[in-house]
Amino acid sequence: LGQWLSTVDAVTLGSSLHAIEALALDTGRPGAPCDARALDAAFQRAKAELTALITAEPVAPKPARERADNTRAQAPDPAAQADFAFHAPRYLALQKQMDARLLALRAQVRHAVSQGPPVLRQLAAMDAVMEQLTAAREQRLWASLPAHLDRRMAQLRSAHQQRLASLAQEDDPQCWRRPGGWLHAFERDLQALLLAEMHVRLQPILGLLEAAHNENMEQQE
């Protein structure tokens, strides 16, 4: 974490910690237990929706329209999908959807936690500070992932071509997306990388939820 924070960030964090410590002295507002069940439902709903978006099969390109003279237009080249430029817009769009959905969910859970007892208000305040301090660095890291995926695609295609050469076989682009094909393997890797990113982004939200559950259990005891 020290490599992520600048001197200015460290000063901001230090000042914030003093303010957060003071929240423990706010006994005039004991707070109410969080509705952890409702928050869990929102968490699971967002996770399921994003998982469905990520694992959905890519939409096949629409057939080319015929021209006015009834001459059929040239069909899309199946080899176009072998270029990462074909997949990058979809990957970036899914990242954008994930970012918007999980930022909103994190804010929702944090707001609910901040209405609880002082210990949860401290946690909510700390989460807000850490999100502010690490957001820019995290965004740069997420933005770097497509480049790794681009290299992975080149690696898979090269391995595919080497295997064909060793077997003296002709290449058939129509087989690339079938199970066992190199483009099919790339699609699985693309989905796996997005799912891994989603799970990492969910960790702070999951931490808030676990704290809310623990505090509710202590109050019930």
Side-chain angles (χ1 to χ4, degrees):
L1 183 60
Q3 296 177 355
W4 278 39
L5 302 181
S6 66
T7 303
V8 174
D9 292 333
V11 172
T12 300
L13 180 59
S15 301
S16 300
L17 288 175
H18 288 299
I20 291 170
E21 289 174 359
L23 293 175
L25 305 177
D26 184 11
T27 57
R29 185 165 65 94
C34 293
D35 188 352
R37 183 173 298 179
L39 296 177
D40 281 340
F43 178 91
Q44 295 299 335
R45 185 163 54 252
K47 182 179 178 182
E49 290 172 357
L50 289 172
T51 299
L53 284 172
I54 291 169
T55 57
E57 290 297 323
V59 178
K62 295 181 179 179
R65 298 180 60 183
E66 295 182 354
R67 299 191 312 201
D69 60 359
N70 293 327
T71 302
R72 186 162 184 79
Q74 185 177 3
D77 181 5
Q81 297 185 27
D83 190 334
F84 184 68
F86 178 90
H87 303 272
R90 170 171 164 253
Y91 189 90
L92 295 174
L94 287 169
Q95 272 193 320
K96 187 175 180 179
Q97 289 177 282
M98 186 190 310
D99 188 57
R101 189 75 171 86
L102 296 186
L103 281 177
L105 178 64
R106 186 172 180 177
Q108 176 189 352
V109 173
R110 184 168 59 228
H111 174 74
V113 169
S114 70
Q115 306 306 304
V119 65
L120 288 184
R121 294 203 292 272
Q122 285 183 299
L123 179 62
M126 187 66 185
D127 181 70
V129 172
M130 294 308 299
E131 183 182 44
Q132 176 187 353
L133 293 180
T134 61
R137 179 65 178 265
E138 287 179 352
Q139 288 299 326
R140 288 196 294 272
L141 289 175
W142 302 138
S144 72
L145 293 182
H148 295 284
L149 201 59
D150 189 3
R151 289 193 290 272
R152 175 59 174 163
M153 186 178 209
Q155 179 188 32
L156 287 169
R157 184 170 189 177
S158 175
H160 165 75
Q161 292 171 336
Q162 291 176 14
R163 185 180 66 82
L164 289 178
S166 67
L167 298 174
Q169 293 180 348
E170 293 292 329
D171 201 356
D172 182 5
Q174 299 299 332
C175 297
W176 291 351
R177 291 200 63 88
R178 297 173 188 169
W182 74 272
L183 204 51
H184 182 271
F186 170 76
E187 177 65 29
R188 300 284 83 80
D189 286 348
L190 183 149
Q191 293 179 2
L193 189 59
L194 283 167
L195 288 172
E197 178 180 341
M198 180 188 71
H199 285 293
V200 171
R201 287 175 179 252
L202 285 170
Q203 288 303 306
I205 307 171
L206 187 59
L208 290 170
L209 288 174
E210 289 178 350
H213 277 290
N214 292 339
E215 186 61 23
N216 286 350
M217 290 177 62
E218 290 183 7
Q219 290 185 349
Q220 290 172 3
E221 294 175 355

